[in-house]
């Protein structure tokens, strides 16, 4: 989206100098750092997404998913919402320049039961679903007399100690602890929150000292953090850990890493051993012409690193800056100008641990607690696209400080026709097949 936005501003699209076509399965861009707050209800989910048609008014938006790309022939084959209706016929798009920035997808390991019971945390739909699910578990625990069902409903297991896992757990634990004040038979100490991490630390991006502080802070909120531990199985709603612990749970959130988007393997472009596009410092795919890549999908050399051969970390800090350089280089190539190499020294990282708690390691300085949480909010507010979204997010934060949290579960949104189907079924003619 950022690349297309910059091309829209720099090219004369209305004068037939170029046409920019954006192919995306969803007609919006998700600002993923705000997903934990959307899950906790601090931000409305619709305010963490940016509608592409509004922002990219001069571009052509194609809602669909690239199934394969033949760069030698300059053809991309797209599956659109009407593909199945037309007998599976794919839409073929021809192009002159190709920009691949599909990001990454969740890396699901072959853990028994994971596919059936695991919950991801990569999209806004998953964030909404997880919020509804957590509140539904409180309803289940409050209404059942079965001790085993209550225990499983009040046990929440998160696998993965990176940004997604820690921030999602911190925000949802904070929300659930607030919500149980409205349940007469559930106390905060009845809930069990477990974070499972295979390495010996969490949040490695913020440094060892801040990672240790994050562990101490979360454990102070009765979060059970299992370092050096793996999930062995989650069949039959029982999380079996490598340390021998068996945790009956109805909630298992999987945030244990990501992998390159599958579309990269469906191209004829060079990939690294990890499946990412091999790009040079100008963000051109190595050994090709008119093919470009940025973000999680690209392996871009970090020219500011002390150790030669180091690649840029696959995070938003690099991706947003790479998008601008990539767009400028496309314009430069179209107009016969020299290309610019991408160069950005990593500034640091910030992470939220829930309301008023956070950790940060920025330009060598360490922050924790409220200052780090405030920096986290200010930084991401400055980075979320469009003034419209900035204003709406800021307004929601201000209103949240004046009013009580919303603790309503709208799980029925996932099955909106269930009520009508029930009504229609109850009046069905018994003689009708």
């Amino acid at each position: 989206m950022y690349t297309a936005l910059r091309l829209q501003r720099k090219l004369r699209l209305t004068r037939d100098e170029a046409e920019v076509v954006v192919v995306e399965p969803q007609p919006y861009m998700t600002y993923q750092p705000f997903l934990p707050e959307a899950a906790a209800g601090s931000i409305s989910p619709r305010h963490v997404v940016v509608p592409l048609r509004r922002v990219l008014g001069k571009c052509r938006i194609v809602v669909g998913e690239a199934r394969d790309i033949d760069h030698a022939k300059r053809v991309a084959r797209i599956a659109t919402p009407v593909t199945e209706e037309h007998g599976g016929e794919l839409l073929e798009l021809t192009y002159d320049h190709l920009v691949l920035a599909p990001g990454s997808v969740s890396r699901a390991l072959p853990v028994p039961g994971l596919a059936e019971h695991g919950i991801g945390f990569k999209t806004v739909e998953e964030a909404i679903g997880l919020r509804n699910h957590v509140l539904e578990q409180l309803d289940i625990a409050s209404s059942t007399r079965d001790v085993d069902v209550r225990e499983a409903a009040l046990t929440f297991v998160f696998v993965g100690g990176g940004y997604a896992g820690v921030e999602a757990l911190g925000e949802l634990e904070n929300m659930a602890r607030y919500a149980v004040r409205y349940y007469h038979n559930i106390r905060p100490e009845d809930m069990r929150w477990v974070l499972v991490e295979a390495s010996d630390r969490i949040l490695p991006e913020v440094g060892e000292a801040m990672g240790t502080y994050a562990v101490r802070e979360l454990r102070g909120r009765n979060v059970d953090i299992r370092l050096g531990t793996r999930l062995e199985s989650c069949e039959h709603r029982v999380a079996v850990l490598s340390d021998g612990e068996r945790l009956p749970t109805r909630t298992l959130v999987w945030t244990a890493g990501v992998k390159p988007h599958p579309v990269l393997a469906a191209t004829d472009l060079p990939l690294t051993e990890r499946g990412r596009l091999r790009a040079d410092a100008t963000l051109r795919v190595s050994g090709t012409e008119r093919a470009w890549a940025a973000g999680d999908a690209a392996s871009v050399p970090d020219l500011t690193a002390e150790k030669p051969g180091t690649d840029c970390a696959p995070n938003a800090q690099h991706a947003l800056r790479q998008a601008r350089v990539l767009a400028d280089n496309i314009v430069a190539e179209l107009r016969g100008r020299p290309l610019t190499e991408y160069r950005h020294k990593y500034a640091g990282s910030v992470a939220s641990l829930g309301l008023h708690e956070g950790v940060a390691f920025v330009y060598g300085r360490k922050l924790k607690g409220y200052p780090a949480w405030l920096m986290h909010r200010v930084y991401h507010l400055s980075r979320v696209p469009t003034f419209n979204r900035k204003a709406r997010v800021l307004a929601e934060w201000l209103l949240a400080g004046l009013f009580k949290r919303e603790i309503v579960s709208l799980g029925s949104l996932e099955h909106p026709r269930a009520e009508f189907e029930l009504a229609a079924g109850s009046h069905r003619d018994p003689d009708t097949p």
Side-chain angles (χ1 to χ4, degrees):
M1 190 203 76
Y2 275 99
T3 299
L5 183 62
R6 196 165 181 88
L7 288 173
Q8 177 178 269
R9 292 170 178 169
K10 295 213 162 193
L11 293 174
R12 294 186 292 272
L13 301 185
T14 57
R15 301 181 185 178
D16 297 329
E17 180 182 17
E19 180 187 25
V20 176
V21 181
V22 178
V23 178
E24 166 60 36
Q26 303 294 342
Y28 53 78
M29 174 261 196
T30 303
Y31 190 73
Q32 291 188 344
F34 278 156
L35 287 184
E37 293 205 45
S42 300
I43 300 176
S44 173
R46 69 182 184 277
H47 295 158
V48 304
V49 297
V50 181
L52 297 180
R53 297 187 189 280
R54 177 185 294 177
V55 176
L56 304 176
K58 298 180 182 178
C59 300
R60 176 187 171 193
I61 308 299
V62 176
V63 176
E65 184 174 3
R67 291 292 173 84
D68 66 86
I69 299 173
D70 189 341
H71 187 63
K73 296 180 179 180
R74 305 294 197 269
V75 174
R77 296 175 180 86
I78 314 299
T80 68
V82 297
T83 294
E84 293 185 4
E85 297 181 15
H86 291 160
E89 182 178 349
L90 299 177
L91 172 66
E92 291 194 353
L93 291 179
T94 59
Y95 60 84
D96 298 300
H97 287 262
L98 171 69
V99 176
L100 269 172
S104 55
V105 297
S106 296
R107 181 186 62 190
L109 300 180
V111 176
L114 180 61
E116 293 78 15
H117 304 298
I119 302 172
F121 197 73
K122 197 89 172 89
T123 67
V124 68
E125 292 84 1
E126 289 175 327
I128 297 170
L130 183 56
R131 169 184 168 80
N132 291 333
H133 176 83
V134 169
L135 292 172
E136 285 170 1
Q137 299 317 300
L138 299 183
D139 290 333
I140 290 172
S142 176
S143 59
T144 184
R145 294 183 179 180
D146 189 314
V147 176
D148 293 335
V149 171
R150 177 184 170 91
E151 179 186 358
L154 294 179
T155 301
F156 306 93
V157 179
F158 288 68
V159 182
Y163 279 124
V166 172
E167 291 193 332
L169 184 149
E171 292 284 353
L172 285 166
E173 187 276 337
N174 196 280
M175 177 202 73
R177 186 154 33 87
Y178 176 88
V180 296
R181 68 178 63 183
Y182 299 104
Y183 291 81
H184 70 282
N185 57 351
I186 302 178
R187 299 171 300 171
E189 52 268 29
D190 293 336
M191 296 185 294
R192 187 176 185 185
W193 296 80
V194 184
L195 178 64
V196 179
E197 169 55 40
S199 68
D200 61 353
R201 56 194 290 196
I202 66 172
L203 297 174
E205 299 87 352
V206 298
E208 184 174 358
M210 291 296 95
T212 301
Y213 169 82
V215 170
R216 188 168 64 248
E217 167 62 24
L218 291 173
R219 283 177 173 166
R221 287 156 53 179
N222 291 323
V223 175
D224 184 359
I225 299 181
R226 304 293 184 92
L227 300 178
T229 307
R230 300 181 308 278
L231 177 70
E232 299 285 351
S233 169
C234 55
E235 292 182 301
H236 310 297
R237 294 187 181 274
V238 177
V240 180
L241 307 184
S242 60
D243 60 5
E245 182 87 13
R246 296 174 61 86
L247 301 171
T249 179
R250 297 173 59 90
T251 307
L252 191 139
V253 183
W254 181 266
T255 61
V258 295
K259 64 181 180 180
H261 196 286
V263 71
L264 302 184
T267 72
D268 54 350
L269 299 171
L271 304 178
T272 67
E273 61 278 3
R274 295 187 176 183
R276 298 165 70 191
L277 290 166
R278 194 182 303 278
D280 58 31
T282 64
L283 302 173
R284 191 201 308 267
V285 177
S286 301
T288 67
E289 293 183 355
R290 298 186 175 185
W292 314 80
D296 288 10
S299 178
V300 180
D302 187 350
L303 301 183
T304 66
E306 297 179 0
K307 183 180 179 181
T310 302
D311 289 338
C312 294
N315 56 35
Q317 185 176 150
H318 282 297
L320 298 184
R321 291 169 173 81
Q322 288 172 1
R324 292 195 289 268
V325 174
L326 193 160
D328 290 344
N329 280 344
I330 290 178
V331 174
E333 181 155 307
L334 289 176
R335 296 176 179 174
R337 299 172 184 168
L339 305 185
T340 303
E341 292 185 332
Y342 173 73
R343 187 185 301 268
H344 170 68
K345 189 171 181 60
Y346 191 61
S349 300
V350 292
S352 170
L353 302 178
L355 190 64
H356 299 160
E357 282 293 337
V359 290
F361 184 73
V362 182
Y363 294 115
R365 296 191 61 184
K366 302 172 185 176
L367 294 173
K368 59 186 179 182
Y370 184 85
W373 172 82
L374 183 61
M375 175 175 285
H376 174 271
R377 282 202 160 183
V378 171
Y379 174 78
H380 286 301
L381 182 65
S382 69
R383 290 291 178 262
V384 68
T386 77
F387 177 79
N388 179 299
R389 285 297 177 268
K390 294 180 198 295
R392 290 179 182 272
V393 169
L394 181 59
E396 286 195 306
W397 282 342
L398 294 175
L399 290 175
L402 299 175
F403 301 101
K404 296 180 180 180
R405 278 179 181 259
E406 293 290 346
I407 58 167
V408 177
S409 169
L410 297 176
S412 58
L413 287 174
E414 299 167 29
H415 307 284
R417 297 189 68 247
E419 184 73 19
F420 180 77
E421 288 174 351
L422 178 63
S426 64
H427 293 87
R428 181 177 296 168
D429 187 339
D431 296 328
T432 302

